[in-house]
Amino acid sequence: MSGALRLEGKGNGCGYATGPAFVSAEPLSPCGDQISPSLEFEHLSKAIEESIAALEALIARTEPLSADILEFQIEMLRDPAIAEMAAEEIAKGQNAAFSWVAALEEYIAGFEQSEDDDIRARAVDMIDIRDRVLRALEGAPSIDFPAGSVFIGKDMAPSLFLAHDWTGGGGIVLEAGSTASHVALLARAKGVAMVVGVGSFSLESKTPVLVDGDNGFVIVHPGGADLAMAYRATKATPRHGLEARDSGVALNGAVEVLVNISDIDEIHSLDSAACEGIGLLRTEFLLSHAADLANEEKQFQLYSEMLKWAAGKPVTIRLFDLGGDKPLGGFGVEERNPFLGLRGIRLLLAMPVMLRIQVRALLRAAALGPLKVLLPMVTFPGEVEDTRRIFEEEAAGLADRHIAISMPAIGMMVEVPAAALTLDMFTSADFFSLGTNDLTQYLAAAGRDNPTVVDLYRHAEPALLRLIAQAVTAAHDMDKPIGICGDLAGNPAFLPALIASGIRRISVAPTQLQAVRMALAQAGMDG
Ligand code: PEP
Ligand code: MG
């Protein structure tokens, strides 16, 4: 190798990338972590002003009847009572988006329930301004780095990865990080070469860098021979791996293979005929801005798009799994150990406003196709029961408003050892999905984002496989479906053990589909 500097770390097995370095001084995150009431109020006031300006511009080029509607909307946007209600929510610690939605909720319900047709029609105008302000709240410029460059930093927020355009290539080099973290999982799913845990080093931005995700090293100032080797290897191994769609391996076998989706682009490059549906939709990664968490309409559209893509096959949508290494928009509290804190269903039940918005979007989408709901980070049966109650309350509210809904099956992630060991007590869950990424970290007491203990993952395998077998038996005894959606399912080396323990449904990243289906075909499990 002719590079002036060669760094070693752990690769993600996604081939090579070359490009100019983008050196990030701090771990970039498009969203801040703490809510400041004065800042939230400022954001909301600005978004309302922007919305008023946009409506005024529309009035100037519209005919009188539409102008009347727009004037009514401006009047509502200027209504001091609404502003006051939103300010009260902000003062309670809520962010701008949720405060705005909460302030309008009663007005919308009041209009919707009116006996008078004209007043009832105003509800749509109110929903329109609610969503217009939410869109304006999204308008904050997101932090990004130049397309095609190699991101170099201490760590990388999953939301930054998702906001970036990877179509022009580029890679990731992290001083810390781990191949089991959420950002590593996203990079694998997209086929972006990544090397983590290289330790600290200094580099000027724009320095040419080669990232070898297969062998886990980075070359700064790569020479001609390095680049030629990377070029040959990239040609030999398809980077994006989504070519799996035409692998020719038969479906409908003894083991059902579904896909994990974390990014809308993944369904755009995958034919739904290549799998048996979506086994895990990580909804927390689909939204580009915290304001979207308050946007029922946007969420409904996204879920509908998934159902349309799946064309009648099941779509399992997980409730927002925020917290841990997935902070978004200032939710949650400052925690010393976020993986053991307010994460997943715990956070949602502590923030029912956010949960109820997502529940409504899901209930509406469920009317369009076979949608199932998955609860993240469940520890005790009461969490499933409380969530189910919220689904029932919201379903009743939507039905009162004559909105089409359907009650989906409600299942739970099995990713906390306490739940895995007591599955027989979760009678209120309709189905189970083993989340081995978290189950492993909690079993081995080794953070999935911590490179210094990541090898403990390997040592946890016997305990993990024993627990999986026990959970599968418990689910079968309850006559409830159980599958696995953690990364372990996408590793062909583990398929024999998983199948031996009774697993017949797996959900894997699109990039892993081909290898998994080939391994199943060899084992005669593809039917
Ligand atoms: C898991 O924990 O195995 C899982 C599938 O969920 P996530 O990786 O999103 O935490
Ligand atoms: Mg998990």
Side-chain angles (χ1 to χ4, degrees), residues 297-335:
E297 204 47 44
K298 190 160 193 171
Q299 293 174 34
F300 168 69
Q301 295 301 341
L302 279 168
Y303 307 153
S304 309
E305 196 174 333
M306 296 291 161
L307 286 161
K308 195 164 160 216
W309 173 84
K313 292 178 178 171
V315 174
T316 309
I317 302 187
R318 188 171 69 184
L319 296 182
F320 297 129
D321 182 19
L322 298 169
D325 62 350
K326 297 187 274 197
L328 191 57
F331 293 107
V333 283
E334 188 76 20
E335 291 176 312

Side-chain angles (χ1 to χ4, degrees), residues 56 76 99 233 285 297 451 472:
E56 282 172 344
M76 295 315 288
S99 303
F285 290 143
E297 204 47 44
V472 172

Side-chain angles (χ1 to χ4, degrees), residues 429-501:
D430 294 323
F431 65 95
F432 303 112
S433 189
L434 287 148
T436 48
N437 306 337
D438 279 310
L439 196 51
T440 309
Q441 80 161 339
Y442 295 127
L443 271 179
R448 62 193 276 186
D449 61 341
N450 184 341
T452 53
V453 291
V454 80
D455 284 341
L456 289 173
Y457 257 59
R458 226 171 357 101
H459 299 303
E461 275 156 21
L464 181 67
L465 292 173
R466 224 181 259 191
L467 189 51
I468 289 175
Q470 188 179 325
V472 172
T473 304
H476 287 170
D477 287 348
M478 297 165 84
D479 216 11
K480 294 193 188 235
I482 185 162
I484 172 166
C485 62
D487 264 15
L488 195 74
N491 183 344
F494 285 98
L495 286 175
L498 295 177
I499 290 166
S501 68

